[in-house]
Amino acid sequence: MSGVRASGRGPGGGLKAYAIAYLLFLYAPILLLPVFAFNNGTIIAFPLKGFTTEWFAQMWGNATLRRALMNSLTIAVSSSILATCLGLFAARASTRFSFPFKAPIMGLIMLPLVLPEIIISVSLLVVLLGLGVQLSVLTVILGHTLICMPYTVAILSTAFSSLDRSLEEAAQDLGETKWSAFRLVILPLVMPGIISALLMSFTISLDEFIIAFFLAGNEPTLPTYIFSQLRFPKSIPMIMALGTVLVGLSILLLTIAEYFRRRGVARTGQKDSGGFL
């Protein structure tokens, strides 16, 4: 019996050690960002030189960085709103109506989830240049909308499929039109899902590099600016400071998105099958 118990503890201990090692490998570099962001030294190595906030001051005083930040915020806000609106229409259609070629159409919408971003970027670049479109912030917004939309469709499809259709039918029986029933009854119920999809799209767009690299032209974004500065050792501490701010912002947005997702689950009474966090 003791041998059986020992053998039962062995695999469990091994899995626990593997899980801990995996989490350390995954998150240790992120945890080191704030350590070196406040380190008073230009070399990223131990031992630390001392505490300083100089790199954060340099970050906020950099004009090119501020321009890249404004471009990234403009792209993230615009693409998240567009992707969420388009995802709202697609999710509503896929969960409420039946139409010809429904499965292939939804498959095409979700295709960017499985296609490599480098393929999407090159394809968009060839098409846009062939149409004579000048590369700018607008072209990045189009690309980010394309890759963010499948995430919004997945989130909003779950929100719509959990709703009771009798609520909408009851509103129409009481004299509401289809549009007013959707606006007054359905939309408030799926609002947590809409906010969750919006924040998720914003985070994905803010952190995206490959499409921005191909489609931004001469306009810098935060990821492309960070990539360009990695060649200069003296800029590395400032990049560490910027990375610390971005990680904190991403965690905050994902936490808010998860809060609204769980709130939507609670309001609709569906079973929670897991989320972002």
Side-chain angles (χ1 to χ4, degrees), residues 26 103 112 119 178 184 233 270:
L26 189 63
I119 301 300
K178 289 185 178 181
L184 298 174
Q270 61 178 317

Side-chain angles (χ1 to χ4, degrees), residues 68-114:
L69 174 62
M70 291 305 300
N71 286 340
S72 287
L73 290 177
T74 301
I75 293 168
V77 171
S78 303
S79 59
S80 60
I81 292 175
L82 284 173
T84 302
C85 291
L86 295 174
L88 180 67
F89 299 146
R92 173 66 172 172
S94 65
T95 56
R96 185 67 173 83
F97 304 104
S98 296
F99 48 88
F101 307 108
K102 177 179 177 179
I105 292 174
M106 295 307 300
L108 287 175
I109 292 176
M110 304 301 289
L111 193 60
L113 280 176
V114 296

Side-chain angles (χ1 to χ4, degrees), residues 144-185:
H144 283 190
T145 301
L146 179 65
I147 64 170
C148 289
M149 187 175 170
Y151 295 93
T152 65
V153 171
I155 295 172
L156 293 172
S157 293
T158 303
F160 277 117
S161 61
S162 63
L163 295 179
D164 188 354
R165 289 190 179 183
S166 61
L167 297 174
E168 185 178 5
E169 294 171 356
Q172 294 179 14
D173 290 340
L174 293 174
E176 298 290 345
T177 63
K178 289 185 178 181
W179 164 245
S180 61
F182 175 79
R183 180 173 58 88
L184 298 174
V185 179

Side-chain angles (χ1 to χ4, degrees), residues 75 82 128 133-144 215:
I75 293 168
L82 284 173
L128 292 173
V133 178
Q134 185 177 1
L135 300 181
S136 62
V137 169
L138 178 60
T139 54
V140 182
I141 291 173
L142 295 176
H144 283 190
L215 301 183

Side-chain angles (χ1 to χ4, degrees), residues 10 22 26 33-34 38 45 48 53-54 69 87 109-110 135 154 173 195 236 251 267:
Y22 174 79
L26 189 63
L33 276 176
F38 291 100
L48 302 178
T53 57
E54 176 186 354
L69 174 62
I109 292 176
M110 304 301 289
L135 300 181
D173 290 340
I195 297 175
I236 298 299
I251 293 175
R267 289 182 64 177

